Amino acid sequence: MNIDILTLFPEMFNGPFNNSIIKRAREKNLVQIETYNIRDFSRNKHRTVDDTPYGGGAGMVMGVEPIFEAIDRIKDKYNGSTARIVLMCPQGLTFNQTLAKEFAQEEHLVFICGHYEGIDERVRENLVTDEISIGDFVLTGGEIPVMAIVDAIIRLIPGVLGDLASAEEDSFYDGLLDYPHYTRPREYRGNNVPEVLLSGHHENIYKWRKRQSLLRTLVKRPDLLESKDFTTEEIKILKEIYEDLKKLLDI
Ligand code: 4G0
């Protein structure tokens, strides 16, 4: 996969994209990431990329020319790429794992990191295919959202995580929260590891984990269950949870 990022601060990406799993994915050529400094596409003497808004008002607006020319450069490089062009902004569609999976199927993605109070509307009208947000809050720029989204996408590219890890994840908690994890020691300051995990009984362990995932999701994020397709096994465990609760609450 090719990922191109338009930003005023390319150095910001050095840390996140040159460490750990993303670093390894790049070394293995599973993903090529390139940053472009929007300022390099400014044609004026002071290399500015923003200007005062038509119609007046406070603040500055990111201009059209540098962004169009940067996109031209990228399209040339891939000789007329049909890449999705994603603008990071708080008004966008909220990013989630479903979108991460969708983007992970693409061969080429372009991200535009906006700044200032706004961006000339003609960028949206002519270039942008997707407006994406990472949540209902405002940051100083789109860089940190791009880091988060690119990380979420890259870990889904085949070969980036261990095949075992990714396959397990897909089947086990599709739309559920993770179950609790423990490692040695089996007792720490009076806190014990659940007995079932020490039993070596794989079927019981599997069922305990599934139940924990379902319980956690029910308690912490019930909204996730509304759009989930339950397996027959999950429905069985949910009914057991329901019966246990009835007994507990005497109803
Ligand atoms: C306001 C994304 C702010 C408008 C970007 C960009 C938060 C997010 C910014 C724009 C951001 C998020 C119109 C490009 C930059 N803050 N929640 N700040 N435009 O994902």
Side-chain angles (χ1 to χ4, degrees):
M1 178 189 289
N2 292 289
I3 298 176
D4 292 306
I5 301 165
L6 273 54
T7 171
L8 288 168
F9 302 100
E11 308 80 27
M12 283 182 73
F13 294 90
N14 290 344
F17 291 165
N18 289 309
N19 282 288
S20 186
I21 299 195
I22 299 195
K23 178 187 180 177
R24 202 152 34 92
R26 295 178 77 183
E27 285 168 357
K28 289 205 260 175
N29 266 320
L30 295 169
V31 62
Q32 285 87 240
I33 305 175
E34 216 156 320
T35 54
Y36 299 81
N37 191 334
I38 297 169
R39 201 171 293 285
D40 290 343
F41 296 87
S42 168
R43 287 180 187 265
N44 65 54
K45 185 165 93 202
H46 299 289
R47 306 218 308 149
T48 60
V49 293
D50 61 336
D51 207 340
T52 52
Y54 276 121
M60 300 291 269
V61 176
M62 257 172 112
V64 278
E65 302 102 321
I67 296 176
F68 266 72
E69 301 208 358
I71 294 289
D72 283 347
R73 164 88 62 88
I74 290 166
K75 289 200 167 152
D76 284 350
K77 182 176 131 198
Y78 296 94
N79 39 76
S81 166
T82 55
R84 285 169 85 154
I85 300 177
V86 183
L87 177 67
M88 302 314 306
C89 69
Q91 303 98 301
L93 186 69
T94 307
F95 192 71
N96 60 22
Q97 196 63 26
T98 305
L99 269 175
K101 286 177 187 166
E102 192 182 309
F103 282 145
Q105 306 295 316
E106 300 284 339
E107 194 41 56
H108 185 196
L109 293 169
V110 179
F111 291 93
I112 303 173
C113 304
H115 267 263
Y116 308 109
E117 283 72 16
I119 193 161
D120 191 301
E121 192 61 23
R122 289 166 289 187
V123 170
R124 279 206 183 84
E125 289 170 350
N126 294 283
L127 300 176
V128 171
T129 60
D130 300 82
E131 287 181 65
I132 302 289
S133 163
I134 60 165
D136 291 335
F137 46 88
V138 180
L139 304 171
T140 56
E143 281 79 9
I144 291 173
V146 166
M147 291 172 202
I149 285 170
V150 165
D151 187 293
I153 293 167
I154 290 177
R155 67 183 288 286
L156 298 177
I157 297 173
V160 169
L161 298 183
D163 283 346
L164 207 81
S166 45
E168 209 166 303
E169 162 144 349
D170 275 2
S171 61
F172 201 91
Y173 26 55
D174 188 25
L176 293 178
L177 299 184
D178 199 5
Y179 52 79
H181 300 269
Y182 297 88
T183 186
R184 279 180 285 209
R186 54 189 292 174
E187 187 266 354
Y188 187 69
R189 301 191 185 190
N191 299 275
N192 293 297
V193 174
E195 204 60 46
V196 62
L197 299 179
L198 310 171
S199 68
H201 194 304
H202 297 299
E203 199 185 309
N204 286 354
I205 292 169
Y206 174 87
K207 220 183 143 194
W208 181 85
R209 286 177 169 165
K210 199 78 174 179
R211 184 181 161 104
Q212 290 294 320
S213 278
L214 284 162
L215 272 170
R216 277 191 166 185
T217 314
L218 268 169
V219 171
K220 296 186 184 188
R221 292 294 308 278
D223 58 299
L224 294 179
L225 300 176
E226 278 166 43
S227 55
K228 176 167 164 59
D229 292 318
F230 293 103
T231 64
T232 43
E233 180 197 38
E234 286 164 348
I235 289 169
K236 184 164 168 274
I237 297 172
L238 279 169
K239 283 181 175 162
E240 286 169 19
I241 290 170
Y242 182 59
E243 290 307 319
D244 288 350
L245 273 172
K246 282 204 292 190
K247 252 181 263 162
L248 188 72
L249 301 172
D250 208 19
I251 53 171

